[in-house]
Amino acid sequence: VEIEWSRVWRNGWSIAAAALIGSAALFPMLGGADKIRDRMSPRTPHTLDGMAYMAYSTYNENGVEMDLSQDYRAILWMQQNIQGSPVIVEGNVPEYRWGNRYTINTGLPSVVGWNWHQRQQRALTPENWVTDRVAAIGVFYSTFDRNKTISFLKTYDVSYIVVGQMEKAIYPVDGLVKFTEWNGDLWDVVYQEGDTTIYKVRK
């Protein structure tokens, strides 16, 4: 029997194509179901509001269980009350953790964004342009030196300071006490709830 190799070849490709399309068609069903179940909190409603999960979720940083609803309400306050694009400062942690949550959800500029992302976007510039800012934020939250504090605020033209649960989980108390000590002097409380305070810098 003479084999028609061209027909075999075509049939083989048809079967392979059908298997590929069938496998690809399974992904939206199986992957979609997994994604729906993969939620930070099962109590979060199904919504297009990308911030809604925070009202129902917690996050652990350095052994501290943080109630994200505090950040949620503070971010909403920023969205509703801060005009223009003033610079804010918030604690900085490595990527894929709870860092930059105010900047991400308000669109306000911060002293620095994600360390690695910022360095990727500025590959042709000196790396220390970003890493120096990351280090400066750490010093700002950790120091009780008044001159260093004022210098940081002026250098980066900071208008609002976030001192929330995350900042309290990653920075030493010795540095954080300055925020209450110098309130009414270098800055003023404009928002406060639970462990979350937002200060407005006196220019």
Side-chain angles (χ1 to χ4, degrees):
V1 177
E2 185 177 334
I3 299 173
E4 294 186 28
W5 289 108
S6 60
R7 183 181 297 174
V8 171
W9 185 81
R10 283 197 304 272
N11 288 343
W13 274 105
S14 297
I15 292 169
L20 180 63
I21 292 168
S23 299
L26 285 174
F27 178 77
M29 294 183 289
L30 301 177
D34 281 344
K35 189 62 180 172
I36 289 169
R37 287 191 298 270
D38 182 20
R39 299 168 68 75
M40 198 159 182
S41 169
R43 296 183 301 127
T44 303
H46 294 270
T47 173
L48 294 178
D49 180 356
M51 285 177 46
Y53 74 95
M54 285 189 272
Y56 303 87
S57 304
T58 60
Y59 180 84
N60 191 289
E61 181 69 50
N62 278 355
V64 177
E65 195 72 13
M66 302 185 300
D67 170 14
L68 300 190
S69 69
Q70 286 190 36
D71 279 335
Y72 176 67
R73 288 185 291 275
I75 289 166
L76 287 176
W77 180 88
M78 274 193 165
Q79 291 174 341
Q80 294 162 5
N81 293 278
I82 295 180
Q83 303 297 314
S85 297
V87 176
I88 66 173
V89 63
E90 57 187 311
N92 190 275
V93 291
E95 291 77 8
Y96 305 107
R97 283 164 57 183
W98 194 235
N100 295 104
R101 73 266 195 216
Y102 284 79
T103 303
I104 289 168
N105 289 290
T106 64
L108 294 173
S110 65
V111 174
V112 70
W114 277 21
N115 181 346
W116 176 234
H117 178 76
Q118 294 295 331
R119 284 164 27 205
Q120 281 179 311
Q121 297 302 310
R122 293 161 179 80
L124 298 179
T125 61
E127 190 173 280
N128 69 292
W129 283 12
V130 176
T131 56
D132 285 355
R133 286 178 176 239
V134 172
I137 290 173
V139 171
F140 170 70
Y141 277 102
S142 302
T143 189
F144 194 76
D145 184 297
R146 188 179 175 92
N147 291 330
K148 286 181 181 178
T149 300
I150 292 171
S151 175
F152 174 88
L153 296 173
K154 287 183 175 179
T155 299
Y156 299 108
D157 192 26
V158 175
S159 293
Y160 291 91
I161 305 164
V162 175
V163 182
Q165 296 167 97
M166 194 193 73
E167 286 73 25
K168 292 174 182 176
I170 62 175
Y171 297 116
V173 174
D174 291 350
L176 296 177
V177 294
K178 69 175 171 288
F179 294 109
T180 52
E181 290 282 328
W182 300 336
N183 181 45
D185 178 9
L186 297 183
W187 42 67
D188 299 286
V189 172
V190 289
Y191 175 91
Q192 190 164 41
E193 187 220 339
D195 296 312
T196 302
T197 305
I198 298 171
Y199 298 90
K200 184 174 183 179
V201 177
R202 292 187 172 191
K203 297 294 185 180

